Amino acid sequence: MIPTTLARQTVSKTSLIASTTKRSISSTTPTLLADVSVEHGRGDWKTYGDITSYQPGKFQVKTYNKISPLGLQKFPNVQYDIKEGDEAANAHAILLRSHKLQEEEVPHTVRAIARCGAGTNNVPVARMTELGIPVFNTPGANANAVKELVLAGMLLGSRRIVGGINHMTSLGEQGLAKERVEKDKALFGGREIKGKTLAVIGLGHIGASTARDAEHLGMNVVGYDPMLSIENALKLPRSISLSDSMCNAVRDADYISINIPYIKGEGGTHGIIGKDVVGSFKSGAVLLNFARGELVDSEALKEHLDGNDGR
């Protein structure tokens, strides 16, 4: 037997749902305001932003950088208020790309932060964790774009395209382009990538996609990723060879693509491409770093480039 109080609550909730459903069917605009209460366990809330920036019944989203309009369309205007930077004084959430977020830029009302990209090194994740604010990222969202940049960099590094363009620009300024174009093109012949070896360090969304396309271009692919997931393993080309260390992966590679996240602190990835790894590069190897510059030990790389025909 259902207790009287519970029965009343059940009837009340059922009536509310029926009433809400009826209103929703009769109108395309929800009549119930969103629950946008802002206190969520961050301690005593003593300060508010400019109250004029707040619209009752709407979640306020603070954005940095240029967020794609296609992405922002996921937030219907009837329930979300999208504002840039300081205009969002009472934001419930923050969306950003490359902006280096500071704690003072996070209003007390913020419940979540989302990085529109793979890495979160530009967000103070540890501090946000202490404040109870989850930080999200979007791994794979820009994988195709980065993969294309890696392939473009590989072609630029093999065919000496930039050098050829600069040379012809200089000849053009001297009025010698027409008579020298055929004679000088042999200076920038470069080499084909077919049959060459590409080492992919990091086999996540970007690395796996790069490996697949490199195989289609006729390259030999070597990969290294101690954290390789089953999902990404299934995306790898069948011909790929997996190495047990970065040094072994790059040892015979003509091209090396770094596709790993940058993580600060102890046990992180700062300078992970160090002297031992760089010292394993063969002469003439092309390094493709479309991840983060801090992953590579700059001094070790300079020493290698100074002593070898590296690029």
Side-chain angles (χ1 to χ4, degrees), residues 164-181:
I165 291 173
N166 291 339
H167 182 67
M168 291 308 300
T169 299
S170 177
L171 291 179
E173 293 172 349
Q174 301 173 54
L176 301 172
K178 185 175 181 180
E179 59 188 85
R180 294 276 294 277
V181 62

mmCIF file of all heavy atoms in Angstrom, residues 164-181:
data_model
loop_
_atom_site.group_PDB
_atom_site.id
_atom_site.type_symbol
_atom_site.label_atom_id
_atom_site.label_comp_id
_atom_site.label_asym_id
_atom_site.label_seq_id
_atom_site.Cartn_x
_atom_site.Cartn_y
_atom_site.Cartn_z
ATOM 1 N N GLY A 164 62.077 26.872 -52.666
ATOM 2 C CA GLY A 164 61.870 27.151 -54.086
ATOM 3 C C GLY A 164 61.062 28.413 -54.311
ATOM 4 O O GLY A 164 61.373 29.220 -55.199
ATOM 5 N N ILE A 165 60.020 28.600 -53.499
ATOM 6 C CA ILE A 165 59.187 29.812 -53.618
ATOM 7 C C ILE A 165 60.015 31.058 -53.316
ATOM 8 O O ILE A 165 59.962 32.059 -54.053
ATOM 9 C CB ILE A 165 57.972 29.721 -52.674
ATOM 10 C CG1 ILE A 165 57.016 28.642 -53.158
ATOM 11 C CG2 ILE A 165 57.261 31.073 -52.583
ATOM 12 C CD1 ILE A 165 55.865 28.371 -52.205
ATOM 13 N N ASN A 166 60.778 31.002 -52.242
ATOM 14 C CA ASN A 166 61.609 32.158 -51.863
ATOM 15 C C ASN A 166 62.645 32.465 -52.945
ATOM 16 O O ASN A 166 62.925 33.634 -53.247
ATOM 17 C CB ASN A 166 62.302 31.889 -50.529
ATOM 18 C CG ASN A 166 61.333 31.848 -49.368
ATOM 19 O OD1 ASN A 166 60.225 32.390 -49.448
ATOM 20 N ND2 ASN A 166 61.717 31.205 -48.279
ATOM 21 N N HIS A 167 63.218 31.419 -53.524
ATOM 22 C CA HIS A 167 64.233 31.601 -54.568
ATOM 23 C C HIS A 167 63.616 32.269 -55.800
ATOM 24 O O HIS A 167 64.191 33.221 -56.354
ATOM 25 C CB HIS A 167 64.820 30.240 -54.949
ATOM 26 C CG HIS A 167 65.899 30.317 -55.987
ATOM 27 N ND1 HIS A 167 67.127 30.899 -55.754
ATOM 28 C CD2 HIS A 167 65.924 29.878 -57.293
ATOM 29 C CE1 HIS A 167 67.874 30.818 -56.845
ATOM 30 N NE2 HIS A 167 67.157 30.207 -57.792
ATOM 31 N N MET A 168 62.456 31.786 -56.219
ATOM 32 C CA MET A 168 61.809 32.369 -57.399
ATOM 33 C C MET A 168 61.313 33.779 -57.139
ATOM 34 O O MET A 168 61.309 34.627 -58.035
ATOM 35 C CB MET A 168 60.648 31.480 -57.849
ATOM 36 C CG MET A 168 61.073 30.142 -58.441
ATOM 37 S SD MET A 168 62.302 30.317 -59.773
ATOM 38 C CE MET A 168 61.391 31.318 -60.970
ATOM 39 N N THR A 169 60.907 34.056 -55.920
ATOM 40 C CA THR A 169 60.497 35.425 -55.570
ATOM 41 C C THR A 169 61.678 36.377 -55.706
ATOM 42 O O THR A 169 61.548 37.478 -56.254
ATOM 43 C CB THR A 169 59.953 35.469 -54.136
ATOM 44 O OG1 THR A 169 58.817 34.617 -54.026
ATOM 45 C CG2 THR A 169 59.560 36.893 -53.756
ATOM 46 N N SER A 170 62.827 35.924 -55.224
ATOM 47 C CA SER A 170 64.035 36.738 -55.321
ATOM 48 C C SER A 170 64.440 36.958 -56.778
ATOM 49 O O SER A 170 64.786 38.077 -57.186
ATOM 50 C CB SER A 170 65.181 36.066 -54.559
ATOM 51 O OG SER A 170 66.386 36.788 -54.697
ATOM 52 N N LEU A 171 64.372 35.899 -57.592
ATOM 53 C CA LEU A 171 64.711 36.037 -59.009
ATOM 54 C C LEU A 171 63.735 36.970 -59.723
ATOM 55 O O LEU A 171 64.119 37.730 -60.617
ATOM 56 C CB LEU A 171 64.707 34.662 -59.688
ATOM 57 C CG LEU A 171 65.825 33.689 -59.284
ATOM 58 C CD1 LEU A 171 65.659 32.371 -60.025
ATOM 59 C CD2 LEU A 171 67.195 34.296 -59.564
ATOM 60 N N GLY A 172 62.463 36.875 -59.323
ATOM 61 C CA GLY A 172 61.464 37.750 -59.921
ATOM 62 C C GLY A 172 61.750 39.214 -59.644
ATOM 63 O O GLY A 172 61.587 40.082 -60.513
ATOM 64 N N GLU A 173 62.187 39.492 -58.424
ATOM 65 C CA GLU A 173 62.524 40.871 -58.060
ATOM 66 C C GLU A 173 63.723 41.378 -58.843
ATOM 67 O O GLU A 173 63.874 42.584 -59.065
ATOM 68 C CB GLU A 173 62.805 40.942 -56.559
ATOM 69 C CG GLU A 173 61.568 40.676 -55.700
ATOM 70 C CD GLU A 173 61.893 40.553 -54.224
ATOM 71 O OE1 GLU A 173 63.110 40.463 -53.904
ATOM 72 O OE2 GLU A 173 60.955 40.524 -53.409
ATOM 73 N N GLN A 174 64.585 40.438 -59.275
ATOM 74 C CA GLN A 174 65.766 40.805 -60.057
ATOM 75 C C GLN A 174 65.490 40.775 -61.561
ATOM 76 O O GLN A 174 66.378 41.107 -62.358
ATOM 77 C CB GLN A 174 66.922 39.835 -59.754
ATOM 78 C CG GLN A 174 67.341 39.789 -58.303
ATOM 79 C CD GLN A 174 68.353 38.691 -58.044
ATOM 80 O OE1 GLN A 174 69.391 38.621 -58.706
ATOM 81 N NE2 GLN A 174 68.058 37.830 -57.073
ATOM 82 N N GLY A 175 64.278 40.359 -61.946
ATOM 83 C CA GLY A 175 63.939 40.260 -63.357
ATOM 84 C C GLY A 175 64.562 39.058 -64.041
ATOM 85 O O GLY A 175 64.711 39.044 -65.265
ATOM 86 N N LEU A 176 64.913 38.025 -63.270
ATOM 87 C CA LEU A 176 65.603 36.866 -63.826
ATOM 88 C C LEU A 176 64.768 35.586 -63.782
ATOM 89 O O LEU A 176 65.251 34.513 -64.158
ATOM 90 C CB LEU A 176 66.912 36.613 -63.051
ATOM 91 C CG LEU A 176 67.930 37.764 -63.031
ATOM 92 C CD1 LEU A 176 69.071 37.434 -62.084
ATOM 93 C CD2 LEU A 176 68.451 38.019 -64.447
ATOM 94 N N ALA A 177 63.534 35.673 -63.353
ATOM 95 C CA ALA A 177 62.726 34.478 -63.129
ATOM 96 C C ALA A 177 62.528 33.660 -64.398
ATOM 97 O O ALA A 177 62.701 32.433 -64.395
ATOM 98 C CB ALA A 177 61.378 34.871 -62.534
ATOM 99 N N LYS A 178 62.190 34.297 -65.491
ATOM 100 C CA LYS A 178 61.869 33.582 -66.727
ATOM 101 C C LYS A 178 63.054 32.784 -67.249
ATOM 102 O O LYS A 178 62.913 31.640 -67.694
ATOM 103 C CB LYS A 178 61.379 34.568 -67.777
ATOM 104 C CG LYS A 178 60.893 33.904 -69.060
ATOM 105 C CD LYS A 178 60.310 34.919 -70.016
ATOM 106 C CE LYS A 178 59.811 34.226 -71.295
ATOM 107 N NZ LYS A 178 59.225 35.220 -72.243
ATOM 108 N N GLU A 179 64.217 33.373 -67.236
ATOM 109 C CA GLU A 179 65.381 32.703 -67.801
ATOM 110 C C GLU A 179 66.021 31.699 -66.863
ATOM 111 O O GLU A 179 66.799 30.832 -67.299
ATOM 112 C CB GLU A 179 66.431 33.741 -68.220
ATOM 113 C CG GLU A 179 66.903 34.631 -67.078
ATOM 114 C CD GLU A 179 67.781 35.764 -67.572
ATOM 115 O OE1 GLU A 179 67.234 36.810 -67.979
ATOM 116 O OE2 GLU A 179 69.023 35.593 -67.542
ATOM 117 N N ARG A 180 65.698 31.757 -65.558
ATOM 118 C CA ARG A 180 66.346 30.867 -64.605
ATOM 119 C C ARG A 180 65.434 29.746 -64.097
ATOM 120 O O ARG A 180 65.913 28.812 -63.439
ATOM 121 C CB ARG A 180 66.834 31.686 -63.399
ATOM 122 C CG ARG A 180 67.944 32.689 -63.719
ATOM 123 C CD ARG A 180 69.301 32.027 -63.694
ATOM 124 N NE ARG A 180 69.636 31.576 -62.357
ATOM 125 C CZ ARG A 180 70.161 32.367 -61.423
ATOM 126 N NH1 ARG A 180 70.377 33.657 -61.663
ATOM 127 N NH2 ARG A 180 70.462 31.864 -60.241
ATOM 128 N N VAL A 181 64.130 29.831 -64.359
ATOM 129 C CA VAL A 181 63.196 28.896 -63.745
ATOM 130 C C VAL A 181 63.525 27.440 -64.083
ATOM 131 O O VAL A 181 63.514 26.575 -63.194
ATOM 132 C CB VAL A 181 61.736 29.240 -64.141
ATOM 133 C CG1 VAL A 181 61.529 29.130 -65.648
ATOM 134 C CG2 VAL A 181 60.762 28.314 -63.403
#
